[in-house]
Amino acid sequence: MSEKKLSWGVISTAKIGKRAVNPAIQASSNGELLAVASRDEARAKAFAEEAGIPTSYGSYDALLEDPAIHAIYNPLPNSLHKEWTIKAAEKGKHILCEKPMALDAAECAEMEAAAKANGVKLMEAFMYRFHPRTEQVLEMVRDGAIGDLKGIRSSFTFKLDRPKDIRWDLELGGGALMDLGCYCVNVSRTVVGKEPVEVRAMANFRDGGVDQQMAGTLRFDDGMLAHFDCALTMDRTEVYHIMGTDGHIRVLDAFVPGTDAVVIEKFDAEDNMTPMDVAGGDEYRIMVEHFADAVLNDGPLRNTPEEASLNMKVIEALYESARKGGEGMTVD
Ligand SMILES: NC(=O)c1ccc[n+]([C@@H]2O[C@H](COP(=O)([O-])OP(=O)(O)OC[C@H]3O[C@@H](n4cnc5c(N)ncnc54)[C@H](OP(=O)(O)O)[C@@H]3O)[C@@H](O)[C@H]2O)c1
């Protein structure tokens, strides 16, 4: 790894930046967080002071003009990911963009084209993919630890009690599938290693059009099914089960496991469970260090923009199905 450090700026005072990603950049071995921008100058200043960020800006544009910044972390509401990622790319900045990368696959493709045209790297911030446990689970499945793959069940729910939250706003790209189900879709596609051919979903939509709860199924070309549920109105659960011919794997606290040691629960065909210990790690820090390494050494990214587009295609088809009362939708 290069001795150099990647200089980052974060656009907005988003909660996820404050809670996880900004501290991860500050703790990273190959990055430094030089600036934060907000729509409100006083908010940016107060945020910078509290977080020990040297510079603050009263607009995102002003931060993008700073020549000392080489990478942008974009945790804006989903509907603004595209606009500000493209603006950043046009200023020659590399971009780590929050999940889901955009509102649809067409937007992802535009963002990818802008990154390519400007010679910068773009990655969707699916941090759970960087947790050491995720890699270990994928390896176990590939190595046949549970026999042949038969199916996947996943769930991500929590109770959102902030009435003004961006997740309740359709215009800002809110909704349970956009916020939480995107992880279930991602883990299902990643474990299977290919794209579903058809999806179906049913959802409870709120006034205003945002899905507060969804249950969906992905069908693959060999008939295998992956099904999931997500909700912004239910107690917190984060879990996925990978079912095989010779047993199954259960992963609890699947997407945001914290930094402590975790386990993979492996069940044999007789339902005997063996817990497999995995050392803890900060998935956010591993993610930002991977991104910085790829930028500094012009290496490959593990989450490519093409991959973000593929995930969005499935999400789009699930929404279409849910709006049509569960009709089957093919995924192009
Ligand atoms: N990977 C993860 O673990 C994880 C977890 C949570 C969220 N996320 C993702 O991170 C993103 C942000 O989520 P969050 O919960 O952190 O959001 P949030 O706290 O509401 O922050 C969004 C920020 O965007 C700025 N903003 C600009 N235009 C806005 C508008 N019209 N309405 C509201 N805010 C606006 C605001 O900052 P200023 O006013 O300072 O400009 C606001 O603080 C989303 O894409 C979400 O899916 C990822």
Side-chain angles (χ1 to χ4, degrees):
M1 202 179 278
S2 161
E3 292 300 306
K4 278 186 357 200
K5 289 196 171 199
L6 182 64
S7 45
W8 294 79
V10 51
I11 46 175
S12 88
T13 56
K15 286 187 287 299
I16 184 60
K18 181 176 178 170
R19 176 169 65 77
V21 182
N22 301 348
I25 295 170
Q26 289 173 314
S28 66
S29 59
N30 56 358
E32 52 190 355
L33 183 52
L34 296 189
V36 57
S38 169
R39 294 169 297 173
D40 181 281
E41 198 164 351
R43 188 157 58 242
K45 193 164 182 289
F47 189 94
E49 272 169 19
E50 195 188 329
I53 302 171
T55 307
S56 64
Y57 290 107
S59 76
Y60 308 150
D61 279 312
L63 186 147
L64 295 187
E65 292 297 336
D66 185 339
I69 306 286
H70 295 129
I72 300 297
Y73 167 52
N74 178 355
L76 291 172
N78 301 330
S79 61
L80 296 173
H81 286 178
K82 181 187 100 169
E83 175 186 345
W84 288 98
T85 291
I86 291 178
K87 281 186 178 161
E90 287 170 347
K91 294 288 175 190
K93 317 285 189 196
H94 305 276
I95 310 108
L96 176 67
C97 181
E98 265 306 341
K99 47 51 63 178
M101 199 165 87
L103 297 181
D104 55 37
E107 285 198 354
C108 291
E110 277 185 68
M111 293 157 80
E112 181 184 358
K116 272 201 181 125
N118 291 284
V120 296
K121 296 206 187 281
L122 166 62
M123 188 173 92
E124 184 180 36
F126 258 127
M127 72 300 175
Y128 88 96
R129 296 276 294 268
F130 292 88
H131 195 284
R133 178 174 57 179
T134 309
E135 208 44 53
Q136 197 167 323
V137 167
L138 292 172
E139 243 173 67
M140 286 170 69
V141 174
R142 274 196 301 268
D143 293 349
I146 52 168
D148 296 333
L149 196 56
K150 295 296 283 179
I152 299 163
R153 295 200 290 262
S154 56
S155 184
F156 198 171
T157 63
F158 83 105
K159 248 185 216 148
L160 177 57
D161 47 21
R162 292 182 300 268
K164 296 258 188 269
D165 194 276
I166 57 171
R167 290 158 185 77
W168 292 130
D169 191 330
L170 191 64
E171 294 295 308
L172 295 179
L177 175 60
M178 289 293 276
D179 194 52
L180 303 172
C182 63
Y183 289 91
C184 301
V185 171
N186 193 275
V187 75
S188 301
R189 294 176 40 258
T190 304
V191 169
V192 180
K194 58 184 171 182
E195 300 308 310
V197 291
E198 185 189 5
V199 302
R200 283 173 194 262
M202 298 193 82
N204 289 326
F205 291 100
R206 272 203 170 190
D207 295 347
V210 164
D211 55 309
Q212 56 187 358
Q213 180 187 12
M214 182 180 285
T217 304
L218 282 53
R219 183 175 67 78
F220 293 83
D221 59 0
D222 53 4
M224 207 197 70
L225 302 178
H227 58 104
F228 73 92
D229 75 302
C230 56
L232 295 166
T233 51
M234 287 158 49
D235 287 349
R236 190 170 184 105
T237 48
E238 314 175 23
V239 61
Y240 60 90
H241 304 246
I242 306 174
M243 316 302 291
T245 49
D246 301 336
H248 68 277
I249 289 168
R250 180 170 67 187
V251 178
L252 295 171
D253 299 326
F255 305 109
V256 195
T259 54
D260 292 344
V262 290
V263 292
I264 298 168
E265 296 177 325
K266 182 180 172 298
F267 296 77
D268 66 18
E270 276 75 49
D271 213 26
N272 303 304
M273 194 270 278
T274 311
M276 302 172 62
D277 297 325
V278 181
D282 178 351
E283 56 189 1
Y284 295 98
R285 178 171 169 178
I286 300 169
M287 172 179 70
V288 298
E289 287 183 342
H290 166 78
F291 185 79
D293 188 32
V295 169
L296 294 170
N297 300 306
D298 198 19
L301 290 170
R302 264 168 58 186
N303 277 355
T304 61
E306 294 93 318
E307 161 61 19
S309 280
L310 291 169
N311 214 56
M312 279 317 302
K313 274 189 185 173
V314 179
I315 290 171
E316 278 182 69
L318 285 162
Y319 272 125
E320 203 178 341
S321 172
R323 283 191 204 100
K324 292 182 175 163
E327 212 176 286
M329 292 293 150
T330 53
V331 183
D332 297 333

